[in-house]
Amino acid sequence: MLAKAKECWEQEHEEREAEKARYLAERIPTLQTRGLSLSALQDLCRELHAKVEVVDEERYDIEAKCLHNTREIKDLKLKVLDLRGKFKRPPLRRVRVSADAMLRALLGSKHKVSMDLRANLKSVKKEDTEKVGTPCSQPFAPRPISLHLLPVHVAS
């Protein structure tokens, strides 16, 4: 498994190198200095130095921004840690709230919703319960157990 991981890592490394070479070949033209006069070579050097200065300025600006951001992140992390330590969380207590009070708190006082479940129940008469209680006229009778389904223990 380690050998396979090493092969994958080497392959990725080679792909990165090939990508880098392709990118540089695309962005940087080859310099042809043969046959150029001294003044042409000096002009070429000035152009290259100007490009290097621009790139260095950009790199310096990016590094400065990066340092500023890392400092700011550190400061904010310290502030968060300080705020965590200053405030104690109070112990939570159980509060008994009725369903109506909870709905009023959630929905506001404008909505009139009642959760009175007892009011929604049907009233059942005693005569109806006697009819519902005996669905069939025969009492419950257990079925006989067949012996061939029971497990058999053989003593040896």
Side-chain angles (χ1 to χ4, degrees):
M1 187 181 249
L2 289 175
K4 186 172 182 176
K6 187 177 180 181
E7 287 176 14
C8 289
W9 182 77
E10 288 174 356
Q11 184 179 5
E12 288 177 7
H13 187 68
E14 289 173 3
E15 287 174 0
R16 281 191 211 139
E17 290 295 324
E19 180 71 22
K20 183 179 177 181
R22 186 188 60 78
Y23 179 80
L24 289 176
E26 187 179 287
R27 294 287 180 163
I28 302 172
T30 56
L31 291 177
Q32 297 181 0
T33 56
R34 289 191 176 184
L36 291 178
S37 66
L38 184 63
S39 62
L41 285 174
Q42 287 176 345
D43 290 338
L44 182 65
C45 286
R46 285 187 192 108
E47 288 176 21
L48 291 176
H49 278 290
K51 288 181 182 179
V52 168
E53 284 178 12
V54 169
V55 169
D56 278 342
E57 287 175 3
E58 289 176 1
R59 183 180 53 87
Y60 178 78
D61 291 341
I62 290 171
E63 284 179 359
K65 286 180 184 177
C66 186
L67 284 174
H68 177 72
N69 288 341
T70 54
R71 285 184 193 140
E72 190 174 347
I73 288 170
K74 282 183 183 178
D75 291 342
L76 291 174
K77 283 182 180 178
L78 287 174
K79 283 183 182 179
V80 167
L81 290 175
D82 287 344
L83 289 175
R84 275 190 195 164
K86 284 184 182 177
F87 300 108
K88 257 190 171 178
R89 291 186 184 142
L92 299 176
R93 290 175 274 155
R94 285 188 180 252
V95 179
R96 290 189 181 186
V97 179
S98 67
D100 290 332
M102 195 177 302
L103 281 174
R104 266 188 256 120
L106 290 174
L107 300 175
S109 61
K110 293 179 183 177
H111 301 285
K112 296 200 175 186
V113 179
S114 68
M115 278 292 287
D116 190 13
L117 298 177
R118 291 184 182 143
N120 296 334
L121 294 176
K122 288 184 177 179
S123 62
V124 179
K125 296 180 183 176
K126 197 169 192 177
E127 299 154 4
D128 293 339
T129 58
E130 291 174 2
K131 290 179 184 175
V132 175
T134 57
C136 62
S137 60
Q138 296 178 352
F140 174 72
R143 293 186 333 187
I145 300 173
S146 59
L147 296 176
H148 70 279
L149 295 177
L150 294 175
V152 178
H153 297 287
V154 178
S156 39

